[in-house]
Amino acid sequence: RNPVTYGPATLELSVSVGAASSSEKIQTPADLIHRADQALYLAKRTGRNKVCSLPFGLLPENAPGPSARVTAA
């Protein structure tokens, strides 16, 4: 977390991002958004303040839990 001063207040901010890319398994824009959303929840579950994506062979419903190894940005 990095403190940011805004007027008289100091805020601590963090950013979690879910990334997804299109493939032959992604049929609609909604599928792509759903996959990015699931990756976002993975980032939050595994420590926040990072970027996560799901491997192509992994369905969003089977995303790893809190003990998963993910790549932090």
Side-chain angles (χ1 to χ4, degrees):
R1 296 179 189 237
N2 299 314
V4 174
T5 301
Y6 182 75
T10 299
L11 308 170
E12 289 194 21
L13 304 175
S14 69
V15 176
S16 299
V17 176
S21 61
S22 185
S23 76
E24 66 277 354
K25 294 182 182 185
I26 301 293
Q27 299 295 316
T28 67
D31 291 341
L32 184 63
I33 292 168
H34 178 70
R35 194 158 183 84
D37 193 47
Q38 292 301 310
L40 169 62
Y41 288 113
L42 176 62
K44 289 182 176 188
R45 275 198 322 262
T46 59
R48 298 182 181 245
N49 213 26
K50 62 173 72 177
V51 176
C52 288
S53 64
L54 298 174
F56 282 111
L58 186 65
L59 297 174
E61 299 80 35
N62 299 323
S67 62
R69 294 183 64 192
V70 294
T71 303

